Amino acid sequence: MAEKNIKKDLSRRGFIKGAVVMGATAAATTVMGTSSAEAALPPPKKWDKETDVVVAGAGGAGLIAALSAAQAGAKVILLEKMPTLGGSAIISGGLWSVGPTSTQKEQGIEDSADRIYNDVMKANIADPGSMDPAIARAYADNCATVYEWLKGLGVKLKVPKISTMGGVDSVVRMHVMDMPQMIQTLANTAKDKGVQILMKTAAKRLVVNQTGRVIGMKAEANGKPIYVKAKKAVILANGGFDANPQMLSAWGGSAMGKAITMGAPGNTGDGLKMAMDVGSDIRLMYQAAIIEALGPADTKVSMPQLPWEGAILVNKLGKRYTNESLTCVAMGELTVKQPGGIGIIIYDKNIPQAPSQMKLDRHKKMGGKIHEAQTLDELAKMIAIPTIVETVKQYNSFVETGNDVEFGRTTLAGTVGKPVKIETAPFYAITVTGGMYFSSAGIKTDEQTHVQNCYGEAIPGLYAAGQVRGRFVVPFHLGQAFIFGYLAGKKASAEKPWK
């Protein structure tokens, strides 16, 4: 990680502006409003604030990174451009496939870091190049440590009973975290450790010295610039670009126009722009944004749990179009391909369990529509799809015989559970479409969270964690923000102060 790896000629960034990511970034810089005249900034004449570690973004990754660094002895300033804390984490469902945990042990579930590693790698089997084995290994090896650390801070589960994620988990390990409580706990603990949290303060540009080392950040609050000196390191944890329509359409293609965005409004690609300015490589550019969720367009509450608990998905013609035990990515992608880009979840009184009931309650509280009827015939008339009666009857026969001749469904979710009949009144229908939690492309890092350039070299003084790093495997995605935020804080705090 020697600074000489990235030194001398800062004009090299002018080249990287057009050639980083193997030539793909040239068009992207125009999309993001970045020009060679806006390259990373030189040191200011006067710093407004000074600290050891500067963290951009106070979501799950950023709060954990800030607290982790502070616990390791660093002075930390945390910047958040929005008026509230939490980013995408606080509005997520809190689903985290993690293990082996003390909670699993209490519920008689055996798990291991090796099993998690294998599941992470297996989930990427269709695109093995998208997952660095070293990063998967770092995730798996630190799962238990970070979970127990959070538990020790007082972070609680929203749903006490552990469940599973369709199509991925080889054992039951889906922990549903209470995200608002978690974010508040992290913020309170961080403040107690001396972390200075600056709200409505947007990270704008990285400051770099003559050797190419990141030494601070230019931020903006109330329309005025603030220069913050980072004596040890800067951590970027300020989200993806799923709330930036210009970047989505340029990098994700026209399909993104059919999906609803479920992420935080502050995810406008700020960290990605800043990292590219200092020569960061970008990962997953070829699938910069993908449809990976399933939920109603009116409230944007993701609810793949309903199919995983026994519901079925039908299209406007009343026909099933998928095996409902598949991942939310698969179901979301298939849903936008249906007539009108929508699907309808059909279920009965007995199907919703705790995970989906939590989502349904949230959906209703937000004014979301749910059709309810005492018979399937009434429900069919209500949603104007008469064929659902025959579709449900046929599906129930598949469940009874144990042979789904249409789509081969044999489980509720992944490898867990047995399909159930839809037969107990009242009956329900919810219209859903494919959604996007987060953008997929992101800053390339190594397993220790150092940001890397297109030559695989670490950019001195710069780390990244969370959604700004791009997509992870869906059931582990929220957890990767926690784990790599934790590691980034530890690594940044251990840096030697620059001179």
Side-chain angles (χ1 to χ4, degrees), residues 93 95 301-305 355-363:
L95 306 180
V301 176
S302 177
M303 49 181 68
Q305 293 80 11
S356 65
Q357 192 58 59
M358 178 180 68
K359 297 295 190 70
L360 289 169
D361 291 344
R362 182 178 170 194
H363 176 64

Side-chain angles (χ1 to χ4, degrees), residues 87-380:
S88 292
I90 200 169
I91 61 175
S92 73
L95 306 180
W96 181 15
S97 281
V98 58
T101 70
S102 55
T103 308
Q104 283 177 303
K105 188 175 181 180
E106 290 165 6
Q107 297 183 24
I109 301 164
E110 291 187 11
D111 203 355
S112 69
D114 286 344
R115 291 190 79 154
I116 290 179
Y117 171 80
N118 290 335
D119 286 350
V120 170
M121 296 305 295
K122 195 181 301 180
N124 285 276
I125 194 68
D127 185 17
S130 69
M131 178 58 66
D132 181 342
I135 289 177
R137 188 76 252 178
Y139 176 90
D141 288 346
N142 287 281
C143 265
T145 297
V146 176
Y147 178 83
E148 303 303 338
W149 176 74
L150 287 167
K151 187 177 179 182
L153 294 175
V155 172
K156 301 181 184 302
L157 293 177
K158 181 80 171 179
V159 180
K161 186 174 177 58
I162 305 171
S163 56
T164 190
M165 169 64 86
V168 177
D169 289 333
S170 60
V171 300
V172 176
R173 65 163 74 98
M174 178 62 72
H175 298 61
V176 183
M177 314 302 292
D178 186 336
M179 292 313 300
Q181 186 268 345
M182 176 177 170
I183 293 298
Q184 194 58 58
T185 298
L186 289 169
N188 291 342
T189 310
K191 290 175 183 176
D192 290 343
K193 289 297 294 183
V195 175
Q196 186 179 359
I197 303 178
L198 304 181
M199 302 301 296
K200 297 183 182 180
T201 305
K204 290 293 186 181
R205 304 271 289 283
L206 294 170
V207 177
V208 175
N209 67 13
Q210 69 274 15
T211 69
R213 192 190 202 283
V214 175
I215 61 171
M217 183 180 292
K218 177 187 177 183
E220 186 178 288
N222 298 317
K224 296 180 180 180
I226 300 173
Y227 285 88
V228 186
K229 180 180 180 180
K231 292 188 291 183
K232 291 189 173 184
V234 169
I235 301 173
L236 296 176
N238 43 351
F241 57 91
D242 46 292
N244 186 323
Q246 191 179 13
M247 290 178 69
L248 281 175
S249 60
W251 286 10
S254 59
M256 290 302 100
K258 296 181 180 179
I260 55 176
T261 300
M262 297 175 170
N267 290 345
T268 53
D270 304 342
L272 192 56
K273 298 175 190 179
M274 294 163 66
M276 290 175 67
D277 272 344
V278 296
S280 166
D281 197 356
I282 306 299
R283 60 184 291 268
L284 300 180
M285 178 68 81
Y286 59 92
Q287 48 176 227
I290 60 172
I291 295 164
E292 73 252 310
L294 187 73
D298 54 353
T299 62
K300 301 183 181 181
V301 176
S302 177
M303 49 181 68
Q305 293 80 11
L306 268 175
W308 294 336
E309 291 167 3
I312 61 172
L313 276 163
V314 302
N315 58 25
K316 290 172 68 175
L317 304 177
K319 301 296 184 182
R320 286 175 69 215
Y321 55 87
T322 184
N323 175 340
E324 295 87 354
S325 70
L326 298 179
T327 66
C328 50
V329 173
M331 289 191 290
E333 288 180 340
L334 288 167
T335 297
V336 297
K337 295 176 181 178
Q338 300 308 305
I342 64 168
I344 299 96
I345 299 177
I346 306 294
Y347 62 103
D348 70 8
K349 173 185 176 181
N350 293 335
I351 283 177
Q353 304 300 309
S356 65
Q357 192 58 59
M358 178 180 68
K359 297 295 190 70
L360 289 169
D361 291 344
R362 182 178 170 194
H363 176 64
K364 286 187 284 189
K365 188 176 181 180
M366 295 172 68
K369 191 168 184 60
I370 300 176
H371 297 282
E372 177 182 342
Q374 289 303 310
T375 68
L376 282 170
D377 286 310
E378 289 177 13
L379 187 67

Side-chain angles (χ1 to χ4, degrees), residues 38-50:
E38 296 178 314
L41 301 174
K45 293 181 179 179
K46 181 175 181 289
W47 295 96
D48 298 296
K49 293 181 178 292
E50 182 176 318

